[in-house]
């Protein structure tokens, strides 16, 4: 991977991440409150819809940049030679690259997500107060609560979204006989994102419950099957798919902006 490509992935990924996180933040707040254990209205309802936005603003650029740099670098590395360089092995390359990208990006995403979601579910607190309270009660480990559940949500999500996105782009570009325009890549991203978002909603519910749980509670231990069983027992299938409509809307519209902006910025820089 050349230096120019590295910088292009870094800047394009960061810009795309900021565009999505800040534009669609209210939808993310609604989703978090729908999934919280205390229920939508007790978690704030439609009040303070931008609670936690400073955390998202700080984390979105480095998080998305880390993902795309890892994703593009892994893709170029695996495609350089060997069994995975063959065209039929492209989906496997995309899956491996996306999974590794998520593991690296989550090192930045999880602390910002913990602070953001706790502020969203307690709109009377500011982002700074939530950060201090988390550090005081649980230390730095508290900021990484839910790291495993986030990775276990993001990897299946990426295993669906990125190979599907790359496949749809290849299919469409073959049909029209030339490389896709940025808006066409964005449409493919929106569709791929919507499918991946719906499939992984139960894992997102588990991640939200783990991050919002009180320190020392059963959910705070991060046992995903236990959390999912508890949701199923108390709220059934509806509980497992709580927040699926704002999540699908956020990710499909977000996928359009995110992957479209990424393609546009990257092509401009290269």
């Amino acid at each position: 991977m050349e230096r120019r490509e590295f910088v292009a992935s870094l800047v394009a990924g960061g810009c795309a991440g900021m565009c999505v996180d800040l534009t669609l933040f209210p939808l993310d707040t609604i989703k978090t409150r729908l999934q919280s254990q205390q229920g939508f209205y007790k978690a704030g309802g439609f009040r303070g819809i931008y609670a936690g936005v400073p955390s998202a603003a700080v984390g979105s650029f480095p998080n998305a940049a880390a993902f795309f740099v890892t994703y593009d670098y892994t893709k170029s590395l695996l495609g350089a030679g060997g069994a995975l360089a063959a065209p039929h092995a492209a989906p496997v390359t995309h899956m491996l690259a996306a999974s590794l990208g998520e593991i690296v990006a989550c090192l930045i995403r999880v602390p910002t997500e913990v602070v953001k979601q706790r502020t969203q579910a307690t709109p009377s607190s500011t982002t700074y107060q939530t950060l201090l309270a988390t550090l005081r009660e649980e230390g730095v480990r508290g900021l990484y609560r839910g790291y495993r559940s986030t990775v276990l949500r993001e990897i299946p999500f990426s295993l669906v979204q990125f190979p599907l996105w790359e496949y749809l782009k290849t299919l469409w570009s073959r049909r029209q006989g030339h490389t896709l325009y940025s808006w066409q890549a964005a449409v493919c991203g929106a569709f791929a994102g919507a499918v991946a978002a719906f499939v992984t909603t139960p894992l997102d519910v588990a991640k939200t419950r783990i991050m919002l749980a009180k320190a020392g509670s059963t959910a705070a231990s991060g046992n995903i099957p236990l959390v999912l069983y508890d949701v199923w027992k108390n709220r059934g299938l509806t509980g497992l798919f709580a927040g699926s409509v704002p999540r699908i809307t956020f990710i499909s519209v977000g996928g359009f902006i995110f992957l479209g902006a990424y393609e546009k910025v990257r092509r401009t820089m290269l």
Side-chain angles (χ1 to χ4, degrees):
M1 193 181 192
E2 290 175 19
R3 183 183 168 81
R4 201 161 57 105
E5 288 178 315
F6 175 84
V7 173
S9 294
L10 186 82
V11 175
C15 290
M18 281 196 79
C19 283
V20 175
D21 288 347
L22 300 180
T23 311
L24 303 176
F25 191 83
L27 275 175
D28 186 59
T29 303
I30 291 166
K31 183 216 72 167
T32 297
R33 291 174 182 176
L34 282 167
Q35 291 177 347
S36 72
Q37 203 156 5
Q38 57 192 324
F40 181 69
Y41 290 104
K42 282 187 180 175
F46 291 103
R47 290 180 294 108
I49 215 83
Y50 278 94
V53 78
S55 179
V58 167
S60 61
F61 190 98
N63 160 39
F67 172 82
F68 271 112
V69 165
T70 310
Y71 178 70
D72 286 329
Y73 181 74
T74 308
K75 241 183 14 169
S76 66
L77 202 67
L78 294 173
L84 292 174
H88 67 269
V92 179
T93 303
H94 299 146
M95 284 177 178
L96 289 171
S99 300
L100 197 59
E102 292 297 356
I103 291 166
V104 173
C106 280
L107 292 169
I108 300 164
R109 183 180 305 148
V110 172
T112 59
E113 189 87 353
V114 166
V115 174
K116 181 196 76 177
Q117 289 205 309
R118 289 181 182 183
T119 312
Q120 285 173 328
T122 320
S124 54
S125 296
T126 65
T127 299
Y128 183 62
Q129 287 169 336
T130 305
L131 173 64
L132 287 183
T134 303
L135 288 170
R136 190 171 58 248
E137 289 168 26
E138 301 173 72
V140 177
R141 279 188 70 180
L143 291 175
Y144 280 92
R145 191 199 300 163
Y147 177 81
R148 194 176 51 169
S149 60
T150 306
V151 169
L152 288 174
R153 176 200 68 172
E154 296 296 356
I155 288 178
F157 179 87
S158 291
L159 291 180
V160 176
Q161 187 191 30
F162 280 89
L164 186 56
W165 179 53
E166 301 277 9
Y167 171 74
L168 291 171
K169 283 197 301 176
T170 306
L171 201 66
W172 199 348
S173 120
R174 259 196 224 130
R175 288 264 171 94
Q176 66 182 19
H178 61 80
T179 313
L180 297 189
Y181 299 113
S182 297
W183 71 265
Q184 291 173 314
V187 170
C188 295
F191 182 78
V195 173
F198 179 73
V199 172
T200 57
T201 296
L203 292 170
D204 189 53
V205 171
K207 183 217 64 140
T208 300
R209 292 288 183 99
I210 289 164
M211 284 185 173
L212 297 181
K214 286 184 180 173
S217 64
T218 314
S221 67
N223 190 321
I224 298 166
L226 204 66
V227 172
L228 288 173
Y229 176 70
D230 184 58
V231 174
W232 167 261
K233 197 173 68 176
N234 294 313
R235 294 179 63 191
L237 202 61
T238 315
L240 289 175
F241 284 89
S244 59
V245 174
R247 175 168 161 79
I248 290 165
T249 309
F250 179 95
I251 289 172
S252 58
V253 176
F256 183 87
I257 300 168
F258 186 66
L259 297 170
Y262 169 75
E263 289 272 323
K264 183 73 180 168
V265 175
R266 196 168 191 274
R267 280 181 199 174
T268 304
M269 291 186 74
L270 291 172

